[in-house]
Amino acid sequence: MTPDPTAAAAPALYRALSDGGVGGKRVAVFLDGGDEQARAEAAGAPLSVFVQAADPTGLRLRVFTPTREKGSSDSAAIAALSALHTRAGLLDVVEVTQGDPEARGEVQSAQLCGGEWVLRQGLASAQEVTADLSPTGLAGLAAWVGSTGRPNLVAELPSLAALDAFMPDDAAISGVNRATDTTGLVLYALGGPGRVDVSFRAFGPLKGFTEDAASSNMLACLIGVLGRRGQLPQDANLLRAAQRRPGHPARLTAQFAPLSGGVEVWVGGHATPAGAAP
């Protein structure tokens, strides 16, 4: 007999990578597993993360949308780490495993830095490419490919105003991505309000979304490009980024270490409680 999802313990609702408690990604954190898909549908959050196991050295998680198992999500992992930090007595460096245990799942290292959890994205490499961005309305911009294994096209806009004014077109962005063998588009401008180092927006119609609200891996790809272009903060290994999807602001933190083959990157941020999930 299938358990009644309404009879299970209510999840805790978090906003991961929010900007002062606004925006980011809403995540319902369940402290136990079982009947995950039905409970995720009932939770009313875009993402639900179920803690399958926890001890001081790490977490095993499964992540669901209301309609399917997602596999892995950095935002969901950060919400779960924040929820379990004290309860499970987590060490400052742990391993996070996400996905179906029968498929082994995806394993990432996580560390607590200044009260924020950051997840290892790997080595971000970058190279300049020839790309016609005119179908997107961005003719004449230089283009780069940044990658930690999933390549994204990256371009710098001349100002924050130009970044905010950009209107995405799924067909045009998809065409440019196909032409450059990339999976998404990252647009950025240096600086921004609140003393951030870089402001960016992330688009991925080939990934199933027009514009993402909090994109850890796409920020890691951007950092690879910033490193190649000499635009990373000097005399520091920390970068503050603002993701500026209209109506859904996010703040992300990145630790980075320039290496000979690219930039080693960890990305994360705060996850703040947002009350009980509906």
Side-chain angles (χ1 to χ4, degrees), residues 173-233:
I173 293 172
S174 295
V176 169
N177 283 146
R178 291 190 183 98
T180 54
D181 292 323
T182 53
T183 59
L185 173 66
V186 179
L187 302 178
Y188 76 98
L190 295 177
R195 301 176 65 183
V196 301
D197 299 297
V198 66
S199 300
F200 74 105
R201 295 173 67 185
F203 309 93
L206 294 183
K207 303 179 185 183
F209 58 84
T210 294
E211 181 169 0
D212 203 4
S215 309
S216 301
N217 186 258
M218 294 177 87
L219 174 58
C221 293
L222 168 58
I223 289 171
V225 172
L226 296 178
R228 185 70 181 270
R229 301 189 69 187
Q231 294 179 315
L232 287 172

Side-chain angles (χ1 to χ4, degrees), residues 11-104:
L13 188 65
Y14 278 74
R15 285 193 178 274
L17 308 178
S18 67
D19 186 353
V22 177
K25 287 187 177 177
R26 288 194 304 123
V27 182
V29 180
F30 293 83
L31 298 181
D32 60 349
D35 201 27
E36 290 92 352
Q37 189 61 75
R39 294 165 72 191
E41 183 179 359
L47 290 173
S48 291
V49 57
F50 295 84
V51 180
Q52 307 291 309
D55 64 46
T57 65
L59 306 178
R60 177 176 287 277
L61 310 172
R62 294 183 72 175
V63 182
F64 288 75
T65 73
T67 60
R68 64 180 179 86
E69 183 163 10
K70 182 173 173 61
S72 65
S73 163
D74 287 353
S75 296
I78 289 167
L81 286 162
S82 299
L84 270 293
H85 180 208
T86 301
R87 182 186 294 262
L90 297 179
L91 300 175
D92 287 353
V93 179
V94 299
E95 283 196 344
V96 179
T97 303
Q98 299 185 71
D100 186 341
E102 294 185 2
R104 294 191 176 182

Side-chain angles (χ1 to χ4, degrees), residues 261-272:
V263 183
E264 179 73 14
V265 185
W266 299 62
V267 176
H270 286 292
T272 56

Side-chain angles (χ1 to χ4, degrees), residues 94-262:
V94 299
E95 283 196 344
V96 179
T97 303
Q98 299 185 71
D100 186 341
E102 294 185 2
R104 294 191 176 182
E106 177 183 334
V107 181
Q108 280 180 290
S109 296
Q111 62 177 313
L112 188 64
C113 175
E116 299 178 332
W117 285 101
V118 293
L119 294 163
R120 184 178 182 272
Q121 304 296 318
L123 187 68
S125 60
Q127 62 179 358
E128 191 169 10
V129 295
T130 300
D132 178 12
L133 298 179
S134 59
T136 66
L138 301 172
L141 293 184
W144 296 74
V145 171
S147 178
T148 61
R150 293 174 284 179
N152 287 282
L153 196 64
V154 179
E156 181 181 6
L157 295 187
S159 67
L160 189 63
L163 179 67
D164 288 341
F166 177 75
M167 299 293 289
D169 179 281
D170 282 3
I173 293 172
S174 295
V176 169
N177 283 146
R178 291 190 183 98
T180 54
D181 292 323
T182 53
T183 59
L185 173 66
V186 179
L187 302 178
Y188 76 98
L190 295 177
R195 301 176 65 183
V196 301
D197 299 297
V198 66
S199 300
F200 74 105
R201 295 173 67 185
F203 309 93
L206 294 183
K207 303 179 185 183
F209 58 84
T210 294
E211 181 169 0
D212 203 4
S215 309
S216 301
N217 186 258
M218 294 177 87
L219 174 58
C221 293
L222 168 58
I223 289 171
V225 172
L226 296 178
R228 185 70 181 270
R229 301 189 69 187
Q231 294 179 315
L232 287 172
Q234 300 298 307
D235 302 319
N237 66 347
L238 195 71
L239 176 144
R240 301 289 186 182
Q243 191 161 348
R244 297 179 66 88
R245 176 181 169 183
H248 297 273
R251 289 293 182 103
L252 298 90
T253 298
Q255 286 187 326
F256 62 88
L259 303 174
S260 59

